[in-house]
Amino acid sequence: MSGPSSDELVVRDGYFFGRSCACAPPTPWWRPETKCASDDETLRRGPRLLNTFTKTKVPFVPLSGNSVGWYICGPTVYDSAHVGHARNYVNFDVLRRVMSEYFGYDVRFVMNVTDIDDKIIMRAHTRRAQDVVESARRLGAKASAETIAAAAETETLLAEGGKPLGKLDELTRGLVERVRVDAKGALASDDACARDWKIQDGYLELAREFEAEFMEDMKSLGIARPDALTRVSEYVDKVILYIQVIINKGFAYESNNSVYFDVKAFEEAENHKYGKLNKNAMANVEEAMDGEGALAAEKSEKRSEFDFVLWKASKSGEPSWSSPWGMGRPGWHIECSAMCSDVLGKSVDINGGGIDLNFPHHENQLAQSEAHYDIEQWVNFFIHTGHLHIDGLKMSKSLKNFITIRAALKMYSARQIRFLFLLNQWCDPMELTPVAAADGSGVTGFKQMEMALNIEKQFTEFFHSVKGSLRESGSYVVQKDQMWDGHERNLSDALDTAQAAVHEALMDNINTPNTLLALQDLVKATNQYLSMTLTDTRPLLVERVAKYVTKILSCLGVCLDVESIGFPESTEGSSEGREQVLSPFLDLITKFRDDIRKLAQDGASKQDILAACDAVRDVSLPELGVKVDDREGGALWKLYDAEELKKEIAREREAKEEKERAKAAAKDEAARKAAEKEAKAKVPPSEMFKTFEEYAGLYSKFGDDGVPTHDAEGEPLQKSALKKLAKARGMQEKAHDQYLAKQGIEKLSV
Ligand SMILES: [Zn+2]
């Protein structure tokens, strides 16, 4: 599609967009026109989404029919992903699920992996150099003086940051040769020096390793895989062609074997505008150059300081590909333009990423693509997820190990982590405060998780109660009354209210905190219904409510089934599956029967039998993920994930211990205060003004009753002061009398 000409004014749904409009958004943005939307707007009208173009929430309309082309900027794979990444990708997973599962769009979700990048190249070199130095150290006494010196020199350069890479590469190669000579061919096959290495393969080895780890982390977090994954390393040829088109159109130029985007030429073109996402794009050169990478070239190559690199001439120690401009590699921004265009074409419904990518990455990505196609608007909706701020991260380097996704998943389940993110609106910034272990050994959790744990528990309990109720009453039996009375009508009204509130929340920029609030209200109403009706429930209604809650939570990615294809597999038919499922429970019940029989045969006491029953409830069943709640009319069992249940029990125990500790501390404090009070009461009132600390040095003369008459300077005290002191004496007298009475001593007359 193309936008209207510059003097045109677009009016849609009360939104005025266009360059000539006084109330136009900060930058020109045109609402997508669609055949589908004009045919039946009410049907296809999507939620209002916060669009970075306008900085307002605008109704989503797809470019064509029901399909939505969606690109998100994926990871640069050079290190382990941390909870900040988790928030970004969980948020996009939620947005994607809601758009496809709740709003029913046919979403094509594309994500890239940046596997050619300065950080990857640097890390590949430094890791190789560290491995080779390590190998040299292992030589021990076999190492020659030259080898020791070469290893030291390599280490020094590493300590200084490892740059220039060409130098590091040269040193590492030299060291490999020396180690090989010293080892006389006796190197282990997995020794770094035993194999040849060059950066052209080495960068990819590192990138693939972290890509695999990243995808594994995403799976653990319950994040659906993208429909298409684009890697720069597979796209170099297409990136070159893409750049060539931009040069041909006059928006890029070659300089010193690199290619730069010509911001001025683009800005001056009639149908283009730079800085659509960021009004101040041209204000800060330093920030604009943020995406150029740690191995950036001299700026003297560029016509203007705002021009950014599309193709980088490779320097020594960097991987390189042949191009019309010499050996080099793609710049960062261009990959997303080329790869996104390749899969989604000339127009894109949604482009997303973390807010930190807004500038310069997305601004440049947009300019490149609009220059390539020579169109006014390439992307219709730019959506950015909010930043996750981790308290204290800058202060402590070691904290980094505790905030990786893997570390977080050791402390909490993926579902709990997702609840945490759902409790915060996806586009808002968010704080995360690590809680340090008492013994300083690391991090035990995150402060903000408490609310997420509570809400998870609330839903878990709800599903257990519903399942328990349906188990008891059956979902439908012909013998049972089905007619509704007041209780059912109330619950049905609560369902209507929740459905309307959820729809409103999701329409409003996919507001997940409000969606959860609406579901929580429905959960409360259902719990109330179940407690009032007990066994006389209307299971059809209860089932309907529970299915609705499940559906919405599933749209948020919370109630996850494994991602399977085809008909569900049944374990009932195969005896192997059945045996596997039943074994631990049959073992338990058989052992319990044996124990009880033995107790009975030995004439054990009632307490012993009850203790055996409690042990099944408190120890054996939780091991299998079963929690048993004692209640009137028979206990209720609830099935959990065994690991999660163990963690929950441990957390409950910890909370209980903490409470007991606090109680004991409060008791100590009360005892200390009582002792202090008693020590004070022991002092006769006539002595109090001479002994109590608070009166020390304040007075110089005292009356017969011990009450001060003159201040420290020898001046007589005012009447009001005397009155106050007499009152204090009166109170002490009372306390002292009580003390004496307690001691059983008769008050002596003065
Ligand atoms: Zn990108």
Side-chain angles (χ1 to χ4, degrees):
M1 73 140 259
S2 67
S5 67
S6 56
D7 54 0
E8 219 175 308
L9 180 69
V10 183
V11 185
R12 288 258 193 292
D13 299 323
Y15 291 91
F16 297 81
F17 295 137
R19 285 178 197 181
S20 53
C21 178
C23 50
T27 54
W29 172 80
W30 293 284
R31 205 191 135 179
E33 289 259 20
T34 81
K35 278 185 222 136
C36 188
S38 50
D39 286 342
D40 190 350
E41 281 225 34
T42 49
L43 193 69
R44 287 323 310 147
R45 168 77 61 85
R48 291 181 308 281
L49 294 178
L50 180 64
N51 191 350
T52 314
F53 278 121
T54 64
K55 318 275 189 284
T56 56
K57 298 176 207 170
V58 284
F60 176 77
V61 180
L63 274 160
S64 162
N66 195 46
S67 57
V68 175
W70 192 334
Y71 181 87
I72 68 161
C73 290
T76 301
V77 280
Y78 71 100
D79 205 349
S80 297
H82 56 72
V83 285
H85 301 113
R87 184 187 185 210
N88 180 50
Y89 294 103
V90 165
N91 275 340
F92 273 111
D93 187 62
V94 170
L95 296 176
R96 173 191 180 185
R97 282 176 197 274
V98 170
M99 288 295 271
S100 51
E101 289 165 32
Y102 186 83
F103 289 106
Y105 289 112
D106 299 319
V107 173
R108 182 191 285 191
F109 199 78
V110 186
M111 185 180 80
N112 78 304
V113 167
T114 300
D115 58 3
I116 301 176
D117 176 85
D118 291 23
K119 291 194 196 90
I120 297 171
I121 298 167
M122 283 174 65
R123 181 132 195 225
H125 270 299
T126 51
R127 199 164 74 164
R128 166 71 178 168
Q130 280 158 356
D131 288 349
V132 169
V133 167
E134 192 55 40
S135 166
R137 294 262 174 269
R138 274 199 299 272
L139 283 174
K142 279 201 272 176
S144 66
E146 287 87 352
T147 305
I148 294 169
E153 197 184 350
T154 313
E155 263 192 320
T156 308
L157 187 61
L158 276 173
E160 287 163 356
K163 282 195 276 184
L165 290 183
K167 172 86 177 154
L168 183 63
D169 195 33
E170 195 190 306
L171 284 177
T172 312
R173 278 171 199 289
L175 186 55
V176 169
E177 291 310 319
R178 289 185 187 286
V179 171
R180 284 180 182 172
V181 171
D182 292 355
K184 297 188 176 69
L187 287 168
S189 62
D190 63 344
D191 191 293
C193 293
R195 62 184 189 115
D196 290 323
W197 187 92
K198 50 183 197 297
I199 188 65
Q200 195 70 22
D201 311 312
Y203 86 91
L204 204 55
E205 202 179 293
L206 181 108
R208 288 284 186 273
E209 179 188 322
F210 284 108
E211 179 188 312
E213 188 184 306
F214 174 84
M215 294 303 277
E216 195 57 41
D217 286 353
M218 295 300 108
K219 195 178 163 195
S220 308
L221 286 169
I223 293 168
R225 280 190 287 267
D227 302 317
L229 185 90
T230 57
R231 299 186 183 118
V232 205
S233 60
E234 298 175 32
Y235 263 88
V236 176
D237 290 347
K238 287 192 175 178
V239 167
I240 292 171
L241 291 174
Y242 204 90
I243 295 173
Q244 192 60 59
V245 173
I246 301 177
I247 296 178
N248 295 348
K249 296 210 168 149
F251 297 119
Y253 58 89
E254 190 251 312
S255 169
N256 203 15
N257 303 111
S258 289
V259 179
Y260 292 93
F261 189 82
D262 192 337
V263 174
K264 190 161 170 270
F266 183 75
E267 181 67 10
E268 282 171 359
E270 175 70 7
N271 57 339
H272 293 306
K273 164 118 187 73
Y274 184 72
K276 282 180 171 184
L277 293 166
N278 304 274
K279 264 196 294 187
N280 304 321
M282 304 288 278
N284 189 345
V285 184
E286 216 170 284
E287 207 184 327
M289 290 308 115
D290 197 34
E292 300 299 271
L295 306 168
E298 295 298 312
K299 60 182 171 196
S300 57
E301 292 178 8
K302 297 191 276 183
R303 288 182 191 163
S304 146
E305 53 185 358
F306 285 100
D307 294 351
F308 52 90
V309 75
L310 303 182
W311 183 262
K312 293 179 181 184
S314 287
K315 295 198 286 286
S316 169
E318 298 175 9
S320 60
W321 289 261
S322 91
S323 80
W325 322 287
M327 295 301 284
R329 58 194 173 96
W332 174 33
H333 315 303
I334 193 68
E335 63 176 83
C336 286
S337 291
M339 299 192 292
C340 178
S341 297
D342 187 58
V343 186
L344 297 178
K346 199 173 172 178
S347 285
V348 179
D349 287 294
I350 302 174
N351 194 153
I355 188 66
D356 50 321
L357 294 183
N358 182 20
F359 187 76
H361 184 59
H362 284 156
E363 198 66 68
N364 294 348
Q365 191 176 317
L366 192 65
Q368 290 161 168
S369 301
E370 290 175 352
H372 176 271
Y373 290 115
D374 210 358
I375 51 168
E376 280 186 286
Q377 185 167 298
W378 180 55
V379 169
N380 282 339
F381 286 80
F382 249 109
I383 57 177
H384 288 110
T385 55
H387 184 67
L388 178 88
H389 176 81
I390 298 157
D391 287 342
L393 182 60
K394 285 209 176 87
M395 284 182 280
S396 145
K397 262 191 178 171
S398 62
L399 186 57
K400 213 179 142 202
N401 299 328
F402 297 104
I403 55 144
T404 60
I405 291 175
R406 284 170 189 213
L409 281 168
K410 276 191 191 133
M411 298 184 271
Y412 305 104
S413 71
R415 188 161 60 208
Q416 290 161 346
I417 293 172
R418 188 170 286 245
F419 268 122
L420 171 73
F421 296 144
L422 288 169
L423 284 165
N424 292 269
Q425 179 61 346
W426 59 269
C427 51
D428 292 342
M430 183 186 148
E431 295 271 326
L432 197 63
T433 318
V435 180
D439 60 359
S441 62
V443 171
T444 56
F446 301 110
K447 209 175 121 197
Q448 289 79 358
M449 282 302 297
E450 201 182 319
M451 226 173 131
L453 297 180
N454 284 340
I455 198 167
E456 190 211 27
K457 204 168 171 188
Q458 221 175 335
F459 282 114
T460 311
E461 290 294 319
F462 163 74
F463 286 126
H464 283 312
S465 307
V466 166
K467 279 187 198 167
S469 162
L470 292 178
R471 256 198 325 267
E472 275 164 6
S473 52
S475 100
Y476 157 79
V477 271
V478 78
Q479 293 83 357
K480 257 190 94 165
D481 291 345
Q482 294 296 339
M483 198 173 77
W484 286 10
D485 74 6
H487 293 313
E488 281 77 28
R489 281 184 211 291
N490 287 343
L491 180 57
S492 176
D493 287 350
L495 175 60
D496 289 347
T497 308
Q499 285 172 330
V502 165
H503 188 67
E504 196 188 321
L506 292 177
M507 283 294 284
D508 182 20
N509 198 26
I510 309 188
N511 189 317
T512 57
N514 285 353
T515 303
L516 289 181
L517 279 178
L519 291 183
Q520 281 175 288
D521 285 344
L522 180 57
V523 162
K524 269 180 228 154
T526 315
N527 289 340
Q528 206 174 9
Y529 171 78
L530 291 176
S531 70
M532 281 162 96
T533 51
L534 295 172
T535 52
D536 190 29
T537 57
R538 297 293 176 263
L540 295 177
L541 177 61
V542 174
E543 203 172 43
R544 165 95 189 89
V545 169
K547 278 185 178 164
Y548 175 72
V549 175
T550 308
K551 179 191 137 184
I552 299 302
L553 288 180
S554 147
C555 287
L556 302 175
V558 179
C559 292
L560 281 180
D561 229 335
V562 273
E563 280 192 62
S564 57
I565 296 169
F567 301 121
E569 277 171 41
S570 163
T571 52
E572 263 178 50
S574 91
S575 62
E576 203 186 333
R578 201 164 154 244
E579 193 177 322
Q580 214 175 8
V581 172
L582 291 177
S583 288
F585 296 93
L586 294 175
D587 286 349
L588 172 65
I589 199 154
T590 313
K591 186 180 174 295
F592 179 62
R593 180 175 177 274
D594 289 345
D595 290 350
I596 293 290
R597 273 170 62 87
K598 185 152 194 312
L599 284 170
Q601 281 159 357
D602 295 351
S605 69
K606 192 170 146 194
Q607 274 91 340
D608 288 342
I609 294 172
L610 286 174
C613 294
D614 286 350
V616 169
R617 181 195 59 196
D618 299 336
V619 183
S620 316
L621 282 171
E623 285 285 330
L624 299 173
V626 181
K627 195 175 170 188
V628 172
D629 282 352
D630 283 326
R631 53 167 200 178
E632 287 278 318
L636 182 73
W637 59 260
K638 297 169 175 181
L639 202 54
Y640 288 78
D641 177 272
E643 284 309 307
E644 285 312 311
L645 183 59
K646 271 188 239 168
K647 277 190 208 162
E648 192 192 314
I649 290 171
R651 270 197 298 271
E652 278 173 359
R653 197 189 311 122
E654 215 167 274
K656 202 177 150 199
E657 282 168 9
E658 177 61 43
K659 224 172 164 181
E660 273 162 12
R661 274 198 295 277
K663 213 172 143 188
K667 207 176 151 193
D668 287 351
E669 177 63 12
R672 192 190 60 76
K673 276 192 175 153
E676 199 180 285
K677 203 175 153 195
E678 188 169 302
K680 243 180 153 179
K682 210 170 169 179
V683 176
S686 55
E687 293 302 309
M688 66 181 284
F689 298 103
K690 292 169 195 160
T691 28
F692 287 175
E693 212 176 313
E694 67 233 61
Y695 301 118
L698 293 181
Y699 310 109
S700 54
K701 283 185 190 167
F702 301 87
D704 293 342
D705 54 359
V707 176
T709 52
H710 292 73
D711 67 13
E713 275 79 44
E715 292 295 319
L717 291 173
Q718 300 275 344
K719 246 187 180 173
S720 60
L722 286 170
K723 210 173 155 191
K724 231 176 173 176
L725 292 168
K727 197 178 165 195
R729 188 192 187 282
M731 280 167 75
Q732 178 66 17
E733 190 165 9
K734 212 169 150 193
H736 187 63
D737 286 352
Q738 275 169 4
Y739 168 78
L740 292 178
K742 204 173 151 201
Q743 300 299 313
I745 299 170
E746 285 292 300
K747 188 188 170 196
L748 302 168
S749 57
V750 190

